[in-house]
């Protein structure tokens, strides 16, 4: 059943759990994510990042995401991740996406507020939810292997977050508190106190970007302190790549369709595992 981000976040609030937001730029990852959530009888967010247009365009993968979400046995939100322009977000909403993220985190504060407000007005016309971002995340979800340490200067300022939420009226806030996008080259040092302070001041569900590659303890402590949406991509996509290599090296399959199914099954197992970790804050 297709639902909004707001609805999924209400479930997370009630159950005191985190919800996996899996980037699904390929059909294999999409089917794997939905199947994993159905097997765990847990709501999920499937998302398409504008930076993944080079893998599949939203016009191609978007209708598949919406249709499969509508037919699923569990609540699913179809979300646009890191929207860079209002036009792109509008295209997604017209396709049936129920939630959008406008990422103005690298803009000056006032411009971020203005553009995010525009995204909120647009989403309201479609009955969709909005995620905004304040504070800077480094790295990317396009497989680059370079990674710096995210400096505290980039972290979200709790007081400014309060102001941002008041001024924009968003439904969820992506904040910077120690995670980075992509492969971790340095052990992250998550600022749980900051997560709690931002969550308490804004009274909104917080979104963890750069959510793959952490330990079960780090996930659970983040959820306990206020993170409700966990964006998950790089390490899940790597599971698919590793399975593909194994399948080819072991001569387990000769047809691409068989290889892709092998990768899909491996990703599904990985997604099931993380959905299970996010389900509760106790070890
Ligand atoms: P990772 O690719 O680091 O898991 O981050 C995903 C993400 O934050 C998408 O917005």
């Amino acid at each position: 059943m297709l639902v909004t981000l707001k609805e999924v976040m209400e479930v997370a609030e009630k159950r005191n759990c985190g919800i996996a937001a899996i980037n699904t730029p390929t059909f294999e990852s999409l089917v794997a994510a939905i199947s994993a959530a159905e097997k765990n009888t847990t709501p999920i967010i499937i998302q398409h990042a504008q930076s993944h247009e080079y893998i599949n365009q939203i016009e191609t993968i978007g209708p598949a995401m919406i249709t499969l979400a509508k037919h699923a046995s569990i609540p699913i939100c179809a979300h646009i991740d890191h929207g860079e322009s209002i036009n792109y977000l509008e295209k997604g909403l017209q396709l049936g996406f129920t939630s959008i993220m406008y990422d103005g985190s690298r803009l000056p504060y006032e411009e971020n507020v203005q553009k995010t407000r525009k995204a909120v007005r647009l989403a309201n016309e479609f009955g969709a939810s909005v995620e905004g971002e304040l504070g800077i995340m480094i790295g990317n979800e396009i497989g680059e292997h370079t990674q710096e340490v995210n400096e505290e200067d980039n972290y979200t300022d709790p007081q400014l977050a309060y102001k941002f939420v008041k001024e924009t009226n968003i439904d969820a806030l992506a904040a910077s508190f120690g995670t980075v996008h992509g492969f971790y080259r340095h052990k992250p040092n998550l600022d749980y106190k900051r997560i709690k302070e931002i969550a308490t001041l804004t009274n909104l569900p917080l979104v963890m970007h750069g959510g793959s590659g952490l330990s079960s303890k780090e996930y659970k402590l983040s959820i306990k302190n206020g993170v409700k949406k966990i964006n998950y991509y790089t390490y899940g996509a790597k599971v698919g790549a590793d399975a593909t290599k194994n399948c080819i090296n072991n001569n387990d399959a000769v047809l691409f369709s068989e290889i892709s199914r092998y990768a899909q099954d491996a990703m599904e197992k990985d997604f099931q595992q993380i959905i299970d970790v996010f389900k509760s804050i106790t070890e």
Side-chain angles (χ1 to χ4, degrees):
M1 148 203 3
L2 183 62
V3 300
T4 62
L5 180 62
K6 207 167 172 216
E7 289 169 283
V8 171
M9 291 293 93
E10 279 162 10
V11 175
E13 188 63 46
K14 244 185 243 154
R15 296 187 190 170
N16 199 16
C17 71
I19 303 286
I22 300 180
N23 289 82
T24 57
T26 62
F27 193 71
E28 289 77 8
S29 56
L30 172 59
V31 177
I34 294 182
S35 179
E38 283 184 323
K39 284 183 181 157
N40 282 23
T41 54
T42 305
I44 194 173
I45 298 150
I46 48 175
Q47 54 187 16
H48 185 68
Q50 190 166 351
S51 61
H52 285 162
E53 283 286 294
Y54 78 102
I55 302 171
N56 267 310
Q57 293 187 324
I58 197 164
E59 290 91 342
T60 311
I61 197 76
M65 292 170 75
I66 308 294
T67 306
L68 293 181
K70 280 183 181 160
H71 290 103
S73 59
I74 34 107
I76 299 187
C77 163
H79 174 81
I80 299 177
D81 187 28
H82 291 289
E84 294 155 26
S85 76
I86 298 293
N87 281 352
Y88 186 79
L89 294 174
E90 188 163 14
K91 187 161 42 170
L93 290 167
Q94 277 162 355
L95 285 168
F97 279 79
T98 51
S99 177
I100 56 177
M101 174 196 190
Y102 177 72
D103 181 358
S105 58
R106 289 185 182 266
L107 300 173
Y109 175 80
E110 281 306 333
E111 204 179 333
N112 188 4
V113 169
Q114 291 318 319
K115 294 250 172 71
T116 305
R117 281 167 67 116
K118 220 169 166 183
V120 170
R121 280 198 296 275
L122 174 71
N124 284 344
E125 290 172 27
F126 290 83
S129 311
V130 179
E131 173 186 334
E133 177 160 349
L134 188 72
I136 303 212
M137 290 284 306
I138 61 165
N140 58 52
E141 318 82 3
I142 56 173
E144 274 177 30
H145 287 237
T146 52
Q147 192 65 266
E148 305 151 43
V149 179
N150 201 7
E151 302 293 344
E152 265 199 54
D153 285 357
N154 292 330
Y155 290 8
T156 307
D157 173 342
Q159 294 297 336
L160 199 59
Y162 170 77
K163 189 166 177 272
F164 183 72
V165 166
K166 277 252 170 280
E167 288 176 339
T168 55
N169 209 14
I170 50 175
D171 303 293
L173 177 71
S176 173
F177 43 78
T179 54
V180 292
H181 284 123
F183 294 106
Y184 282 96
R185 299 296 169 201
H186 311 273
K187 189 167 168 29
N189 187 12
L190 304 194
D191 189 341
Y192 301 109
K193 205 169 142 252
R194 188 181 297 259
I195 299 176
K196 195 176 181 85
E197 209 179 333
I198 301 169
T200 308
L201 278 170
T202 60
N203 199 25
L204 272 193
L206 300 190
V207 182
M208 172 192 278
H209 281 251
S212 67
L214 300 179
S215 68
S216 163
K217 191 173 170 196
E218 286 167 322
Y219 288 127
K220 287 176 190 284
L221 275 173
S222 300
I223 296 167
K224 194 173 167 191
N225 284 288
V227 166
K228 295 280 174 278
K229 172 176 184 271
I230 299 166
N231 284 13
Y232 190 91
Y233 176 60
T234 301
Y235 284 79
K238 175 136 190 330
V239 166
D242 290 345
T244 304
K245 285 180 202 159
N246 285 341
C247 184
I248 293 169
N249 291 341
N250 300 337
N251 279 326
D252 285 343
V254 286
L255 302 179
F256 172 70
S257 39
E258 293 167 342
I259 298 168
S260 86
R261 177 67 209 217
Y262 197 88
Q264 182 179 306
D265 289 345
M267 285 190 284
E268 182 181 314
K269 279 204 190 86
D270 179 64
F271 296 158
Q272 265 193 278
Q273 242 170 35
I274 58 122
I275 290 171
D276 203 51
V277 170
F278 301 166
K279 250 185 186 170
S280 123
I281 53 170
T282 49
E283 284 285 350

